Amino acid sequence: MKAYIENIAYEFNEGETMLEFVRRIEKNKNAIPTMCQDDRLENFGSCRVCSVEVAREKDGITKTMASCHTPISEGLYIYHNTERMKRLRKNIVELILTDYPADKIFPSEGKKATPFQETIAQIGIPNVRYPEGKNHLDIETDRAHPYIKSDLSQCINCFRCVRACEEIQGEMILGMSGRGFATNIIKGFDTSFDESACVSCGACVQTCPTEALTDKFETKTLIADKTVRTTCTYCGVGCQLDVSVIDGKIRGIQAPETAEVNQGHTCLKGRFAFQFYDHPDRLREPMIKKNGKFEEVTWDEAYDFITKKLLEIKNKYGADSIGGISSSRATNEENYLMQKMIRVAVGTNNIDGCARVCHAPTAFGMQKSFGTGAATNSIEDLKQTDAIFLFGANPLKGHPVTGAKIKQAFMKGITSIVVDPIRTTLSDLATHFLQIRPGTNVAILNMMAHYIVKENLVNQYFIDSYTEKYLDFKNHVENLDMDELETLTGVSKDLVKKAAIAYAKAERAMEFHGLGVTEHFQGSKTVMLLSNLAMMTGNIGRKGVGLNPLRGQNNVQGSADMGVQPHQGAGYMDVSKPEIQHYYAKKYGIEKMPITNGLKIPEMLDAAIEGKIKALYIMGEDTIMTDPNTNHSIKAFQNLELIVVQELFMTATSEMADVVLPASSYFEKNGTFTNGERRVQRVNKVIEPIGNTKPDGQIIIDIMSKLGYNQPTGLSYDAAKVIEEIADVIPFMKGLSWERLGENGLQWPIKEDGTDTKMLHIDGNFKKGIGTFHYFDFEESPEIVSHGKKYPFILTTGRELEHYNSGTMTRRTDNQTLLGKDILEVHPRDAKAKGIEDNEIVRIFSDRGSVHIPIKFSKNVKKGVLRTTFHQPEVFINIITGSVGDKETMTPEYKVVAVDFEKIKN
Ligand SMILES: Nc1nc2c(c(=O)[nH]1)N[C@H]1C(S)=C(S)[C@@H](COP(=O)(O)OP(=O)(O)OC[C@H]3O[C@@H](n4cnc5c(=O)[nH]c(N)nc54)[C@H](O)[C@@H]3O)O[C@H]1N2
Ligand SMILES: Nc1nc2c(c(=O)[nH]1)N[C@H]1C(S)=C(S)[C@@H](COP(=O)(O)OP(=O)(O)OC[C@H]3O[C@@H](n4cnc5c(=O)[nH]c(N)nc54)[C@H](O)[C@@H]3O)O[C@H]1N2
Ligand code: SF4
Ligand code: FES
Ligand SMILES: [Mo]
């Protein structure tokens, strides 16, 4: 397959456009000027700036074609730099400039050229012969939104923003209205960004080639001292960010188009919510509480105080009276060091992390079924799948960049099944929506399996070749009473049957699940039943299938990989086995490792109340705010002799500490985060540590050293060196190194030669040899059994797009302007029955306590169900959540809380 540029022949690729062909051959992105084209968008071909002359034979008759949307084909001759084309481009730009402010043709003083200004410069400034249209100049600028602003006088009608909104984010907020000079961009029903349903992702701002759409930081035209690529600190999608720095300050963030994870896209948290980093509230100095008040101290004083007290407690009560809680917000290297400090320098396995309150059931359940607790496939598989089964996850809020991809697929009409007690944007778009009663996942999955068996839609070959114990499971589900389960779940059995058939009939089906699965009494069991569905239909080990937990925090996958678990060390090895203890002891250069499994977070808190745990060392978790049953947590904390909190902010947890250590944020350090698809990606230091803060890694090394263990990679923290140690200790990270990670990271297992892994369990080769079926009956949560009568409403708690967990970071950005409150969604009839009006503040209470919260009438919840979130300390919803947890892993059941609510009495 050959085509010509000028008169030289080159190979072209199948499906390549002329523009792509010329760019590739000439190794120059600007080989042909463009305007309406953006690599991330469907080619549109409207501006014709990219026009080229094309001939069938050498020196034959030429036609003018838009290179950006015309495919190259055999034997064509392309002439892209002819005088005719140069004139044509100049004429096009001249026409555009008649309706464009004359003072915006060149970059303003101290600003970088916009892409349009670059195009003008490339083409040559035309002599504008026609009077200015000026129509655009009358359009008011929109400054109402905290991040995004528009000045439509600079709009050149390229439609890039409209297309980005639709094609990248899957929203249809932006549109074009009017004709000729009156053509202009509208937002929603011609409102401002602020009033529209815009999700503030900023895709339009990034693609707009002029300053018609900009962000408040004017990132597009900043002349930065440097731009550093790093990985987002918020969710498990793991978006790559390009952070611009001027004078040591962060001035704006864009999304690199070369990023494999996010392809030039982000959500509003990654792109805009960075101002927390130098907020006046940032902790800047170590502090010790003296007579109930925090006083600033030197690092040495803080270290001495902590280590002296830790050793005292260890000598008096034993190492097992000390516990550590690590941070999924911190890097792999820091989590690795943290678990090492607790195990090696303190001498106990009492180390746990946020996976406990999050996806621990996923890890447990998938290990039981397949042998590995991580996502089986990659997000890019969404391009190859035929069906999406979204179970208890709302990625439009929790994992927005992946959510946008899933939404695109839904909108294109792919088979899509949503199981959720709450109606969401995605459930509205889904082909099948099962709106279940919260907590009845096991029942609904049993129903689905029942129908798949009954309709004979199982993949018997896969079952026979690669799995065990299928018959027991089959017998179990075959004999279940569908009418009974229909009543329990509240979903018609016909609907379940249709969904089951749709899933099983798809050639390739991907399952995605979230906390709607794990934060339940039967969380681990639900995960195993989801595994069963995949196995019985052969949806494992191929492209476009699998079980894909939408892991929560930026580095929750990584913190578990690094050994932040009381029963498994770095690399998931069982710490209760003597040979494993021996392995770690040798690697860490010590005599012996602790021998008994450690305590999980809820067990640590209970043990504190019983007086068995005396000290907690907490790195980057707001336990008081985010663990359930706050009064219980407070009681536990009050019983401790030492609480150390390593934080960015004075959180509810920091307030209770004896010592607060100011940690550097992810902008201020090197390291790696592992996203939800097992991809280890670099976190690159963007700025120097704020104030007197130190990276967690340095703090832990210092404390270990004072406790008598010198980190072999050196007393000065160097992430790259710690990675070498990690690669040596964790077998599936053997080939990991800082250099090898490159720009887009590596997905583990990483072989010694550096090859990584996009997919696990290929062709039924399960990690544990054979896939195992398990079977379970639905069991009502003890929360409902014990308290359901007295508190007849079921409260479920989840997330909002704008805020992140405890909100310590997002509340200190303009995201708080976008969404300033937690609200309770209530079915209007439930509220009215109590004489409560929309927007009223109510008292909501459970067996644990009560809080005040504003309500919003919503038909997204069924009668009897309430929904809220947990981001704002003004509400502090965990005061009322309970202590019931997943039977196997103790993950709290944040999603089923027996409550009642009432009008506030005056
Ligand atoms: N914007 C934002 N993004 C975040 C976070 C954040 O706080 N804010 N947090 C991050 C973290 S730590 C995590 S773990 C992830 C979580 O991301 P998700 O797993 O998506 O989290 P949730 O919104 O808590 O719950 C998911 C869904 O489960 C549904 N659900 C509740 N009960 C049930 C049930 O009984 N059965 C079923 N099938 N579904 C149920 C809820 O209605 C909700 O739609 O998000 C991460 N990303
Ligand atoms: N009601 C209810 N409660 C829930 C949930 C729910 O759905 N409903 N979800 C649960 C889930 S899934 C999770 S994961 C937890 C999350 O609970 P947390 O882990 O407590 O939540 P985050 O807000 O992510 O808090 C982490 C803290 O880390 C700090 N931090 C950030 N970066 C760094 C760093 O580099 N170093 C250090 N030392 N600190 C840092 C932040 O300032 C923040 O205070 O909440 C749980 N709580
Ligand atoms: S989707 Fe997740 S990783 Fe990406 S920018 Fe948003 S919060 Fe960050
Ligand atoms: S860039 Fe090709 S038509 Fe606009
Ligand atoms: Mo989480």
Side-chain angles (χ1 to χ4, degrees):
M1 296 200 302
K2 278 200 164 70
Y4 300 79
I5 299 176
E6 301 296 334
N7 292 323
I8 304 171
Y10 302 96
E11 283 286 330
F12 66 87
N13 300 330
E14 185 78 40
E16 209 168 24
T17 63
M18 293 177 173
L19 178 68
E20 286 160 350
F21 174 62
V22 174
R23 279 181 175 174
R24 181 172 57 79
I25 299 299
E26 299 194 351
K27 295 196 179 66
N28 177 8
K29 190 150 189 229
N30 297 322
I32 301 173
T34 56
M35 208 182 78
C36 68
Q37 191 270 346
D38 179 323
D39 289 346
R40 299 164 307 151
L41 303 174
E42 298 281 329
N43 291 317
F44 196 54
S46 79
C47 74
R48 321 305 278 189
V49 164
C50 65
S51 292
V52 294
E53 290 190 83
V54 184
R56 287 233 160 267
E57 50 197 76
K58 190 172 169 186
D59 304 326
I61 301 169
T62 60
K63 270 174 93 175
T64 303
M65 293 178 142
S67 64
C68 73
H69 82 148
T70 319
I72 184 82
S73 57
E74 184 68 37
L76 288 186
Y77 286 76
I78 296 180
Y79 305 97
H80 63 85
N81 250 335
T82 63
E83 287 310 313
R84 257 188 71 205
M85 286 306 99
K86 287 184 187 166
R87 264 200 317 278
L88 173 67
R89 289 175 195 143
K90 238 181 180 160
N91 285 340
I92 294 171
V93 170
E94 181 184 352
L95 283 175
I96 295 168
L97 293 184
T98 59
D99 194 24
Y100 180 82
D103 62 340
K104 296 287 180 191
I105 293 177
F106 300 105
S108 320
E109 179 85 26
K111 282 191 173 183
K112 199 168 83 182
T114 62
F116 182 52
Q117 287 161 342
E118 276 172 12
T119 304
I120 300 174
Q122 196 185 354
I123 290 173
I125 318 250
N127 164 27
V128 181
R129 289 165 291 175
Y130 312 104
E132 280 188 47
K134 294 239 184 328
N135 230 334
H136 270 148
L137 299 179
D138 296 336
I139 296 168
E140 272 189 54
T141 52
D142 173 7
R143 296 275 185 277
H145 189 281
Y147 292 123
I148 305 176
K149 51 185 188 173
S150 66
D151 169 5
L152 297 184
S153 70
Q154 295 188 58
C155 173
I156 55 172
N157 296 344
C158 68
F159 277 76
R160 276 166 68 164
C161 59
V162 178
R163 287 144 63 211
C165 187
E166 177 177 338
E167 293 172 26
I168 299 178
Q169 182 56 39
E171 297 294 325
M172 314 304 181
I173 305 297
L174 293 174
M176 276 283 184
S177 152
R179 280 169 185 274
F181 280 136
T183 314
N184 69 286
I185 302 285
I186 52 166
K187 300 136 196 168
F189 296 106
D190 201 6
T191 52
S192 62
F193 275 114
D194 204 41
E195 289 161 29
S196 73
C198 168
V199 295
S200 315
C201 68
C204 56
V205 171
Q206 180 155 340
T207 191
C208 170
T210 74
E211 288 178 278
L213 297 177
T214 48
D215 61 50
K216 110 172 192 185
F217 311 107
E218 309 205 332
T219 316
K220 201 178 341 192
T221 52
L222 276 181
I223 300 180
D225 296 342
K226 60 173 181 178
T227 300
V228 182
R229 179 160 169 166
T230 192
T231 307
C232 177
T233 185
Y234 291 111
C235 85
V237 172
C239 292
Q240 293 297 293
L241 308 175
D242 272 343
V243 189
S244 293
V245 181
I246 302 176
D247 289 337
K249 291 211 171 295
I250 296 172
R251 297 290 291 273
I253 294 181
Q254 293 258 55
E257 290 179 24
T258 53
E260 281 177 16
V261 168
N262 51 314
Q263 300 97 14
H265 192 39
T266 66
C267 77
L268 82 168
K269 292 185 294 304
R271 192 189 295 272
F272 296 133
F274 61 82
Q275 291 155 302
F276 68 83
Y277 87 91
D278 66 347
H279 192 280
D281 290 351
R282 260 300 285 280
L283 295 172
R284 285 171 164 79
E285 299 289 338
M287 291 188 291
I288 296 180
K289 201 182 266 166
K290 295 177 184 163
N291 303 320
K293 271 185 73 183
F294 282 114
E295 284 178 22
E296 283 182 9
V297 296
T298 64
W299 276 101
D300 274 335
E301 282 173 83
Y303 285 156
D304 286 340
F305 180 90
I306 294 167
T307 46
K308 203 171 136 244
K309 195 85 200 174
L310 278 177
L311 290 174
E312 221 176 85
I313 291 173
K314 183 174 165 178
N315 287 337
K316 200 157 156 199
Y317 307 103
D320 287 337
S321 66
I322 298 169
I325 299 179
S326 193
S327 181
S328 296
R329 310 301 303 280
T331 63
N332 280 317
E333 298 68 32
E334 293 167 334
N335 274 282
Y336 174 80
L337 290 171
M338 174 74 183
Q339 62 89 33
K340 194 173 171 187
M341 173 176 87
I342 296 294
R343 293 196 158 107
V344 172
V346 175
T348 169
N349 281 315
N350 290 339
I351 174 75
D352 208 358
C354 86
R356 184 64 49 211
V357 292
C358 184
H359 268 280
T362 295
F364 180 86
M366 287 177 72
Q367 282 184 31
K368 285 271 174 204
S369 299
F370 306 147
T372 302
T376 63
N377 288 58
S378 303
I379 297 298
E380 65 176 32
D381 285 24
L382 274 169
K383 290 192 208 119
Q384 279 129 318
T385 192
D386 305 302
I388 296 172
F389 184 22
L390 187 64
F391 197 102
N394 187 2
L396 285 182
K397 290 182 173 175
H399 303 83
V401 164
T402 300
K405 293 177 186 171
I406 292 178
K407 189 176 180 198
Q408 293 286 351
F410 276 32
M411 289 194 301
K412 286 180 184 143
I414 195 172
T415 298
S416 45
I417 305 157
V418 171
V419 182
D420 204 299
I422 312 295
R423 211 183 115 187
T424 64
T425 306
L426 287 175
S427 74
D428 280 347
L429 291 167
T431 50
H432 304 78
F433 174 37
L434 314 181
Q435 192 170 11
I436 62 166
R437 171 163 76 88
T440 58
N441 290 331
V442 165
I444 207 126
L445 287 170
N446 277 341
M447 288 173 88
M448 287 186 72
H450 173 94
Y451 289 118
I452 292 173
V453 169
K454 219 166 154 196
E455 297 294 315
N456 205 12
L457 291 171
V458 297
N459 184 332
Q460 202 60 48
Y461 175 78
F462 188 95
I463 294 169
D464 294 344
S465 317
Y466 309 121
T467 70
E468 61 176 4
K469 304 197 176 154
Y470 172 66
L471 278 184
D472 298 340
F473 170 64
K474 176 170 178 264
N475 284 337
H476 180 250
V477 294
E478 260 177 342
N479 293 316
L480 291 172
D481 178 352
M482 291 301 110
D483 293 318
E484 191 190 325
L485 298 187
E486 177 176 50
T487 315
L488 272 172
T489 57
V491 187
S492 112
K493 58 184 185 190
D494 290 340
L495 221 57
V496 182
K497 183 173 169 184
K498 282 191 190 127
I501 293 173
Y503 172 79
K505 277 201 169 158
E507 173 61 26
R508 291 161 300 186
M510 282 183 101
E511 288 180 36
F512 290 93
H513 76 263
L515 302 178
V517 166
T518 58
E519 289 179 344
H520 282 293
F521 175 57
Q522 289 192 297
S524 295
K525 296 189 170 106
T526 306
V527 173
M528 288 183 249
L529 292 181
L530 284 168
S531 309
N532 286 2
L533 276 197
M535 289 192 288
M536 73 196 287
T537 52
N539 276 309
I540 286 287
R542 294 179 287 141
K543 274 271 176 197
V545 302
L547 204 64
N548 302 284
L550 291 165
R551 296 303 300 257
Q553 305 250 45
N554 55 323
N555 199 33
V556 62
Q557 179 68 55
S559 62
D561 298 345
M562 295 303 125
V564 173
Q565 299 196 89
H567 63 299
Q568 291 174 329
Y572 300 100
M573 287 172 268
D574 184 343
V575 295
S576 66
K577 289 196 174 138
E579 67 271 24
I580 300 294
Q581 291 154 11
H582 186 70
Y583 175 87
Y584 285 128
K586 207 165 148 211
K587 292 280 180 198
Y588 296 155
I590 59 164
E591 294 254 307
K592 63 181 186 44
M593 293 290 289
I595 53 172
T596 48
N597 280 351
L599 300 180
K600 306 178 176 90
I601 293 171
E603 290 172 328
M604 289 188 206
L605 297 180
D606 290 344
I609 289 175
E610 290 164 28
K612 289 182 188 149
I613 285 270
K614 297 288 184 190
L616 273 184
Y617 191 118
I618 302 174
M619 168 168 108
E621 261 215 11
D622 192 356
T623 314
I624 294 292
M625 168 102 176
T626 56
D627 266 49
N629 195 353
T630 311
N631 291 323
H632 176 82
S633 312
I634 291 176
K635 199 169 151 199
F637 273 49
Q638 281 168 342
N639 223 16
L640 292 168
E641 289 182 16
L642 175 69
I643 305 170
V644 182
V645 176
Q646 205 163 294
E647 251 294 345
L648 309 186
F649 292 103
M650 189 46 80
T651 63
T653 306
S654 321
E655 294 279 3
M656 295 203 66
D658 299 294
V659 194
V660 173
L661 301 176
S664 304
S665 81
Y666 84 118
F667 287 126
E668 301 146 48
K669 58 194 181 190
N670 287 319
T672 58
F673 293 154
T674 305
N675 81 351
E677 39 171 24
R678 297 171 274 105
R679 191 189 290 261
V680 186
Q681 301 190 104
R682 276 188 195 167
V683 174
N684 289 304
K685 181 168 160 183
V686 178
I687 50 166
E688 288 306 313
I690 293 284
N692 199 5
T693 66
K694 289 180 200 268
D696 295 288
Q698 185 62 58
I699 303 173
I700 301 291
I701 287 181
D702 293 345
I703 298 218
M704 280 205 287
S705 167
K706 298 229 171 207
L707 289 172
Y709 178 85
N710 284 339
Q711 169 60 14
T713 57
L715 292 186
S716 168
Y717 173 56
D718 177 344
K721 285 199 184 139
V722 179
I723 291 181
E724 282 174 30
E725 182 175 320
I726 293 169
D728 179 49
V729 173
I730 303 182
F732 60 79
M733 300 258 181
K734 240 193 174 82
L736 180 70
S737 77
W738 179 256
E739 283 70 36
R740 273 189 181 152
L741 283 173
E743 284 207 316
N744 284 307
L746 295 170
Q747 286 171 275
W748 64 253
I750 306 162
K751 290 202 197 118
E752 199 158 5
D753 64 2
T755 347
D756 71 342
T757 314
K758 290 210 176 304
M759 204 198 311
L760 300 179
H761 320 298
I762 298 177
D763 297 334
N765 275 317
F766 286 106
K767 172 82 198 309
K768 60 189 263 304
I770 191 159
T772 305
F773 281 90
H774 301 85
Y775 66 91
F776 311 102
D777 275 319
F778 166 74
E779 239 183 294
E780 195 69 76
S781 164
E783 169 76 359
I784 300 294
V785 175
S786 318
H787 307 299
K789 278 226 166 66
K790 192 161 167 209
Y791 305 96
F793 287 87
I794 302 181
L795 169 72
T796 175
T797 60
R799 286 148 173 78
E800 292 303 336
L801 171 68
E802 292 81 357
H803 287 291
Y804 195 80
N805 292 342
S806 64
T808 30
M809 293 150 94
T810 47
R811 281 187 280 106
R812 293 183 172 92
T813 68
D814 279 327
N815 285 31
Q816 185 72 358
T817 319
L818 286 168
L819 180 69
K821 289 196 274 208
D822 281 351
I823 52 135
L824 183 71
E825 290 179 61
V826 183
H827 193 283
R829 274 195 279 164
D830 284 338
K832 283 180 186 154
K834 291 175 182 286
I836 296 168
E837 295 300 323
D838 203 2
N839 302 318
E840 215 176 300
I841 295 177
V842 301
R843 190 175 87 93
I844 177 169
F845 50 99
S846 73
D847 193 49
R848 276 74 50 180
S850 84
V851 298
H852 288 184
I853 187 167
I855 66 160
K856 189 178 85 183
F857 284 1
S858 165
K859 290 197 173 155
N860 294 336
V861 291
K862 278 190 176 177
K863 275 185 80 221
V865 176
L866 308 171
R867 179 197 179 265
T868 190
T869 178
F870 65 110
H871 304 308
Q872 309 281 348
E874 283 68 32
V875 171
F876 227 110
I877 199 71
N878 279 321
I879 288 176
I880 69 171
T881 55
S883 299
V884 169
D886 173 45
K887 232 180 184 167
E888 286 74 18
T889 64
M890 301 184 88
T891 295
E893 190 166 37
Y894 296 109
K895 303 281 187 261
V896 174
V897 190
V899 297
D900 203 349
F901 65 106
E902 64 181 18
K903 216 175 161 69
I904 295 177
K905 299 172 192 102
N906 290 319

